[in-house]
Amino acid sequence: AQSVTQLGSHVSVSEGALVLLRCNYSSSVPPYLFWYVQYPNQGLQLLLKYTSAATLVKGINGFEAEFKKSETSFHLTKPSAHMSDAAEYFCAVSDGKLTFGQGTILTVHP
Amino acid sequence: NAGVTQTPKFQVLKTGQSMTLQCAQDMNHEYMSWYRQDPGMGLRLIHYSVGAGITDQGEVPNGYNVSRSTTEDFPLRLLSAAPSQTSVYFCASSYQGQAITGELFFGEGSRLTVL
């Protein structure tokens, strides 16, 4: 069975600092991997997706994620945090059904 | 383009009451699904449908019923509400191929409190 583990339920950074949100997955088949973002009182939006075309995936709002098969990881990064990045981020894996991680709340301090 | 519309946005129920959460999409998506979101647990799949007349159970289906009489609508019914069903509920849809890869379009959520 597939699963996703997000390391750290809360991450706090200063505006302009590097954002790193960690995700490790478990899947018996080559997976589709995703990062979704949820802004306060809103539904989830797709941030980026990995579908085996390239290991470094670029998403919206300057975010990117790197698929590392040897580490079974799909960490999300952004070089410089902005106040508007404050949200909850979910890593997800799909092998036909979508399974979400527990979520990481990102706080950005001025 | 309205996308995925959920109603109501907020609801308070007493234990044992029944209610229906409505979900409608105007994108002609074959796949529709319901998730519940609880703190620290991410989103968990309740029920899903791959087309009109076809539904199936997800990870946490107990206490919930669904039906899919049209492509556009996918209501979620709570037959006898329990405090454990206090949660935020999300409806999501996609084209069939996107459902397999996991690219879903989400509604804004329905926050349910059961007293």
Side-chain angles (χ1 to χ4, degrees), chain B residues 3-4 20 29 33 37 40 43 48 66 75-76 89-90 92 95-96:
Chain B
V4 179
T20 299
H29 285 167
S33 57
Q37 182 182 23
L43 279 78
Y48 65 98
V66 292
L76 178 72
Y89 292 85
F90 288 96
Y95 293 111
Q96 206 68 269

Side-chain angles (χ1 to χ4, degrees), chain B residues 8-114:
Chain B
K9 286 187 168 42
F10 301 94
Q11 183 72 49
V12 179
L13 292 178
K14 295 182 180 178
T15 296
Q17 288 185 317
S18 62
M19 77 155 299
T20 299
L21 299 177
Q22 301 290 346
C23 176
Q25 53 89 10
D26 60 359
M27 297 174 281
N28 203 31
H29 285 167
E30 301 96 343
Y31 179 88
M32 296 185 74
S33 57
W34 278 101
Y35 287 85
R36 60 177 289 172
Q37 182 182 23
D38 301 291
M41 302 188 73
L43 279 78
R44 292 179 292 169
L45 182 64
I46 304 171
H47 284 286
Y48 65 98
S49 168
V50 297
I54 305 169
T55 63
D56 205 348
Q57 296 181 352
E59 181 183 356
V60 288
N62 293 341
Y64 307 95
N65 272 1
V66 292
S67 60
R68 184 94 179 270
S69 57
T70 67
T71 299
E72 295 78 18
D73 301 298
F74 190 46
L76 178 72
R77 298 182 185 85
L78 282 71
L79 304 176
S80 178
S84 61
Q85 294 178 304
T86 294
S87 187
V88 181
Y89 292 85
F90 288 96
C91 180
S93 72
S94 71
Y95 293 111
Q96 206 68 269
Q98 288 177 325
I100 294 172
T101 63
E103 297 179 58
L104 303 182
F105 293 83
F106 284 83
E108 294 191 343
S110 297
R111 186 175 296 273
L112 175 65
T113 301
V114 182

